[in-house]
């Protein structure tokens, strides 16, 4: 299958120890090129990059390399930066004068342009140094305008991201921009080199960056804690309200009485109730006293009659 052929080519290219005889390798790669060439359009970009990385500038593979470059060139507008970096590395053997490589360089100039719309950087600082090391040998084959643009966008990007470079990448960048035949031709190369060598600037910038990140993390945690506290408080209030509204009565009825049917428990109502109760008690007392007096009168009248 195609996948097996690609794996075989990669294995041969990365083989350690005693190398395969040049004649046998050329024959194998030539046969692979004849098989893969007509199928390039149906392969994924990742597979095309693997093929180019495997064959490099091996004998008998020039036609396949150029066909793969032409196919990859069609996909440049939609290719993510990390994948484009691998493609640039895999096609570097074509040289800066090759049309496909010039298209790739123009793509990088547009992608790394500091005037582009704000957004995440397409490459990390270390990846930009890797790109510069790939393009350095190709600068001689590019047009004067392309060289100027390439030096400017890469140099400016590294100047802005110098603090993010690893030690190895910082040393590599110094080497690249110290070469008068390469990136050392950039008019601002001394300014970049001074920043790369200024350890005090790098240390202070790193400290400021760490403090900024810590401040953002602390603000995020504080905001999260406040939000959690508000949510917990609201949950407690809702739970308390639910419990008060559904408190069971003495007869087991869990439904609260309608508001219209609930007895009024104000002070005025209690006083009115007490007053009416007092009036009822007084009236009953008067009736009992009247009956008592009547009985007493009858008894007196009876006794008088009886006495008669």
């Amino acid at each position: 299958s195609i996948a097996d052929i690609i794996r075989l080519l990669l294995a041969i290219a990365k083989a350690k120890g005693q190398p395969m005889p040049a004649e046998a390798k050329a024959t194998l790669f030539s046969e692979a090129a004849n098989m893969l060439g007509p199928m390039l359009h149906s392969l994924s970009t990742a597979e095309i990059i693997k093929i180019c990385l495997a064959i490099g500038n091996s004998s008998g593979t020039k036609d396949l390399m150029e066909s793969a470059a032409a196919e990859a060139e069609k996909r440049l507008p939609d290719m993510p930066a990390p994948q484009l970096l691998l493609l640039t590395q895999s096609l570097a053997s074509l040289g800066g004068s090759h049309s496909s490589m010039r298209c790739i360089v123009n793509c990088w100039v547009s992608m790394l342009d500091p005037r582009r719309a704000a957004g995440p950087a397409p490459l990390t600082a270390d990846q930009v140094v890797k790109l510069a090391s790939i393009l350095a040998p190709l600068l001689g084959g590019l047009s004067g305008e392309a060289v100027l643009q390439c030096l400017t966008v890469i140099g400016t990007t590294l100047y802005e991201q110098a603090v993010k470079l690893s030690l190895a990448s910082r040393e590599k960048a110094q080497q690249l921009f110290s070469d008068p035949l390469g990136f050392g031709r950039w008019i601002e190369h001394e300014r970049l080199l001074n920043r790369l060598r200024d350890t005090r600037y790098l240390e202070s910038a790193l400290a400021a960056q760490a403090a900024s990140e810590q401040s953002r993390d602390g603000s995020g945690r504080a905001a999260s804690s406040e939000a959690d506290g508000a949510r917990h408080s609201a949950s407690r209030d809702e739970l308390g309200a639910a419990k008060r509204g559904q408190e069971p009565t003495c007869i087991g009825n869990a439904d609260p009485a309608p508001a219209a049917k609930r007895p009024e428990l104000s002070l005025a109502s209690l006083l009115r109730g007490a007053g009416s109760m007092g009036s009822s008690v007084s009236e009953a007392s008067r009736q009992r006293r009247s009956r008592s007096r009547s009985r007493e009168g009858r008894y007196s009248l009876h006794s008088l009659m009886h006495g008669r």
Side-chain angles (χ1 to χ4, degrees), residues 143-179:
S143 65
E145 183 180 0
V147 170
L148 178 60
Q149 292 174 338
C150 186
L151 298 179
T152 302
V153 296
I154 291 180
T156 303
T157 301
L158 289 179
Y159 184 83
E160 294 173 350
Q161 299 187 25
V163 70
K164 300 179 181 179
L165 289 170
S166 65
L167 178 59
S169 295
R170 191 158 61 244
E171 292 176 351
K172 182 64 177 179
Q174 292 181 43
Q175 177 186 345
L176 289 169
F177 282 85
S178 297
D179 181 5

Side-chain angles (χ1 to χ4, degrees), residues 237-300:
D237 293 344
E238 292 174 359
L239 181 59
K243 287 182 176 180
R244 289 192 297 272
Q246 297 184 357
E247 186 174 355
T249 64
C250 59
I251 59 175
N253 182 17
D255 296 330
K261 296 182 181 180
R262 293 176 183 172
E264 186 180 8
L265 298 180
S266 64
L267 180 60
S269 65
L270 292 175
L271 292 175
R272 286 197 300 272
S276 61
M277 185 180 297
S279 299
S280 300
V281 171
S282 299
E283 182 65 25
S285 299
R286 285 194 298 271
Q287 290 177 359
R288 284 196 299 273
R289 284 197 299 270
S290 178
R291 286 196 296 272
S292 176
R293 285 194 297 269
S294 297
R295 284 195 298 272
E296 291 175 357
R298 285 198 300 272
Y299 293 152
S300 298

Side-chain angles (χ1 to χ4, degrees), residues 12-13 20-31 54-55 58-59 61:
I12 295 173
M20 177 182 291
E23 186 177 353
K25 184 177 179 180
T27 301
L28 178 61
F29 274 49
S30 178
E31 292 179 359
I55 61 179
S58 300
S59 176
T61 60

Side-chain angles (χ1 to χ4, degrees), residues 53-93:
L53 286 171
I55 61 179
N57 56 357
S58 300
S59 176
T61 60
K62 183 178 179 181
D63 291 342
L64 177 60
M65 179 70 82
E66 292 188 348
S67 298
E71 181 61 35
E73 186 179 334
K74 301 175 186 176
R75 310 181 188 191
L76 290 179
D78 300 322
M79 196 175 297
Q83 200 172 48
L84 180 58
L85 182 61
L86 289 175
L87 179 67
T88 307
Q89 180 182 355
S90 68
L91 296 178
S93 61

Side-chain angles (χ1 to χ4, degrees), residues 149-229:
Q149 292 174 338
C150 186
L151 298 179
T152 302
V153 296
I154 291 180
T156 303
T157 301
L158 289 179
Y159 184 83
E160 294 173 350
Q161 299 187 25
V163 70
K164 300 179 181 179
L165 289 170
S166 65
L167 178 59
S169 295
R170 191 158 61 244
E171 292 176 351
K172 182 64 177 179
Q174 292 181 43
Q175 177 186 345
L176 289 169
F177 282 85
S178 297
D179 181 5
L181 299 179
F183 281 89
R185 287 184 281 172
W186 184 39
I187 192 172
E188 298 284 350
H189 75 281
E190 285 293 346
R191 185 162 163 255
L192 172 59
L193 290 174
N194 289 336
R195 171 161 287 192
L196 293 173
R197 294 167 182 157
D198 188 353
T199 56
R200 275 191 285 186
Y201 162 77
L202 296 173
E203 289 173 357
S204 62
L206 284 172
Q209 181 179 348
S212 176
E213 291 176 355
Q214 185 176 3
S215 176
R216 286 197 300 270
D217 292 343
S219 300
R221 285 194 296 269
S224 177
S225 298
E226 291 177 2
D228 291 342

